[in-house]
Amino acid sequence: MVKQKKPKFYSLEEQETVVQFDQGSQTATIYTASPVMLNKFDKLKYPVINETFFEGHLTSRTYEVDKKQISFRGERKKGTRVMSEEHKKKLQEARSESKS
């Protein structure tokens, strides 16, 4: 059996994801034309409020989610984790025990 590639309807630049919410609502809408994000949101079972098809193929979806589910994170820099001396000691003891 030969595996067929899914047709690409959007260029990489057009495979966008847009998150929209305002202070007066408890919900956010997410529009995406990115296959990666479509899969992610479908696995999370986000409710679909709109779908777009071209020549019988799904090209984009709009989801509606609780605004609390939206999270923005800053870049995590390696080595910036702050640990107490007590926590460091516990980690060192655990490493010593695992090596024995």
Side-chain angles (χ1 to χ4, degrees), residues 59-98:
T59 57
S60 69
R61 279 195 176 126
T62 303
Y63 302 86
E64 187 172 65
V65 298
D66 191 307
K67 199 163 58 172
K68 293 176 186 173
Q69 292 179 275
I70 305 297
S71 172
F72 299 97
R73 292 179 250 164
E75 182 180 343
R76 183 175 176 184
K77 296 179 182 174
K78 192 172 183 174
T80 59
R81 184 175 173 187
V82 178
M83 289 189 270
S84 69
E85 291 301 318
E86 180 182 344
H87 188 75
K88 288 179 187 178
K89 187 176 178 182
K90 285 182 182 180
L91 288 174
Q92 288 172 343
E93 289 171 359
R95 283 190 198 122
S96 297
E97 289 175 11
S98 68

Side-chain angles (χ1 to χ4, degrees), residues 5-58:
K5 286 187 173 183
K6 289 184 180 180
K8 288 190 176 181
F9 297 102
Y10 295 117
S11 67
L12 291 177
E13 292 78 14
E14 293 172 316
Q15 292 179 27
E16 63 186 4
T17 300
V18 179
V19 180
Q20 185 273 326
F21 58 89
D22 59 60
Q23 296 301 316
S25 174
Q26 297 302 312
T27 60
T29 57
I30 305 170
Y31 163 83
T32 188
S34 163
V36 172
M37 298 310 289
L38 282 166
N39 287 332
K40 180 181 277 275
F41 297 145
D42 288 344
K43 286 179 183 176
L44 291 169
K45 301 192 183 315
Y46 283 179
V48 177
I49 59 172
N50 191 29
E51 294 179 313
T52 305
F53 291 87
F54 181 73
E55 295 179 357
H57 296 279
L58 177 69

